[in-house]
Amino acid sequence: MTEPLRLDRSLFAIRGPDTIVFLQQLITNDAARLARQPVIYAGLLTPQGKVSADFLLWRAEDGVMVDVHAGWAETLRARLGLYKLRANVEIGPIEQGLGVFAGAPAGGTALSAPDPRRGELGLRAIGFAETPAAAMEEPAAYRARRIGFGVPDLAHDAARDEVFALEALFEEFDGVDFQKGCFVGQENVSRMKRRATTRKKFCAVSFDGAPPAYGAVITAGAAEIGAVRTSGDSRAIALLRLDRAQDALAKGEALHADGKALILDPPSWLIMPDARETV
């Protein structure tokens, strides 16, 4: 991926003296980290611990800029607004014409940094763009890159409120701080971490030939253990019970989806469950 690519993302601002304190009570990551790094990955969860939206937070002069999928932006703004109460913050638009890019746009950048989830994804930047984010689709070259590295994009690979934070790889992507104290959904996240009960996760799978359909059920023998999500050439992101997949492979049972054999292909950084624990 050599050319900068405009991503299907929207931006809005959170401004005011209470910005960090406001976010600290809500999001999965430590908002105070923005004092020493330009961008962090985080999410807003349901009280039950499922992901309502994931996003990047960029440090700005008078607060933060929220980098979120274009289709999720208004819902996220509304959710944050419900929590505002007496906090001295404003949630609103940013300068017109700014967009989010993979790589540095030709028009110049307002902000740029390596993607905080995985360095392999390269430079991420906020710069000037002509096309409104709502009219964008995920660029094919960027989709191929993230699938190649086994990185899910929740707006494309999950429904809102479908997956728990640790199922969505928030731990692997440095998107959750287990020490900072309470946030929305924190109790469930902490319990899953403490008890090591995260057995369903996003994971890359590979295959030969045409890709399986989005949502195709993944089977191990006669058991249904997950589903295919976004596919690329010879590789896809899947959401599946990794413990059951490992157990099936240990028994010599193949994985299949949409009539096609799949190979479990986890990246080296993926935290895998103990295949012996099948609770």
Side-chain angles (χ1 to χ4, degrees):
M1 190 174 66
T2 57
E3 296 296 322
L5 298 171
R6 174 75 191 281
L7 302 180
D8 51 343
R9 311 283 290 186
S10 284
L11 294 162
F12 64 87
I14 305 175
R15 303 181 178 93
D18 292 348
T19 295
I20 298 302
V21 173
F22 168 69
L23 289 170
Q24 196 73 309
Q25 302 172 56
L26 301 178
I27 68 171
T28 56
N29 213 334
D30 180 4
R33 291 172 62 184
L34 288 169
R36 52 187 189 272
Q37 64 189 78
V39 59
I40 62 173
Y41 177 62
L44 181 65
L45 310 183
T46 67
Q48 294 75 33
K50 292 191 173 183
V51 183
S52 286
D54 69 331
F55 43 84
L56 275 66
L57 292 178
W58 294 82
R59 183 177 66 224
E61 185 174 340
D62 56 350
V64 301
M65 280 200 285
V66 182
D67 164 359
V68 62
H69 183 264
W72 288 13
E74 287 306 313
T75 300
L76 177 59
R77 284 178 62 170
R79 279 284 310 277
L80 291 171
L82 289 175
Y83 288 113
K84 180 181 172 183
L85 301 176
R86 297 181 181 178
N88 189 2
V89 296
E90 294 182 1
I91 303 171
I94 60 164
E95 180 181 355
Q96 290 187 351
L98 288 177
V100 181
F101 292 82
T109 60
L111 297 168
S112 65
D115 192 301
R117 295 169 296 171
R118 296 297 308 170
E120 299 95 324
L121 292 173
L123 185 73
R124 196 175 185 97
I126 294 175
F128 291 93
E130 297 179 359
T131 307
M136 299 292 293
E137 295 182 358
E138 185 180 29
Y142 181 78
R143 181 172 61 248
R145 185 175 183 83
R146 70 171 181 83
I147 292 173
F149 288 117
V151 176
D153 183 315
L154 297 191
H156 297 284
D157 295 313
R160 189 180 289 112
D161 302 345
E162 179 187 7
V163 293
F164 291 103
L166 299 190
E167 294 176 345
L169 312 191
F170 271 54
E171 184 173 7
E172 287 89 340
F173 295 160
D174 197 22
V176 58
D177 189 302
F178 296 103
Q179 307 300 323
K180 80 179 184 94
C182 292
F183 55 86
V184 178
Q186 180 263 345
E187 182 178 352
N188 190 288
V189 174
S190 295
R191 184 185 303 114
M192 292 179 74
K193 169 67 172 176
R194 186 172 63 253
R195 297 181 180 176
T197 55
T198 311
R199 300 186 181 95
K200 181 173 72 172
K201 284 190 174 186
F202 287 106
C203 181
V205 295
S206 56
F207 51 84
D208 291 327
Y214 188 101
V217 172
I218 298 173
T219 59
E224 296 183 2
I225 64 168
V228 175
R229 299 303 167 96
T230 308
S231 295
D233 292 334
S234 76
R235 195 168 167 87
I237 299 296
L239 180 62
L240 73 165
R241 280 288 298 261
L242 289 173
D243 57 330
R244 293 180 179 176
Q246 290 175 298
D247 187 54
L249 295 174
K251 294 176 181 177
E253 297 175 348
L255 306 182
H256 290 88
D258 206 11
K260 186 176 299 292
L262 302 179
I263 299 172
L264 193 67
D265 197 7
S268 60
W269 44 260
L270 187 67
I271 302 169
M272 299 290 284
D274 187 334
R276 293 169 299 178
E277 298 180 4
T278 57
V279 176

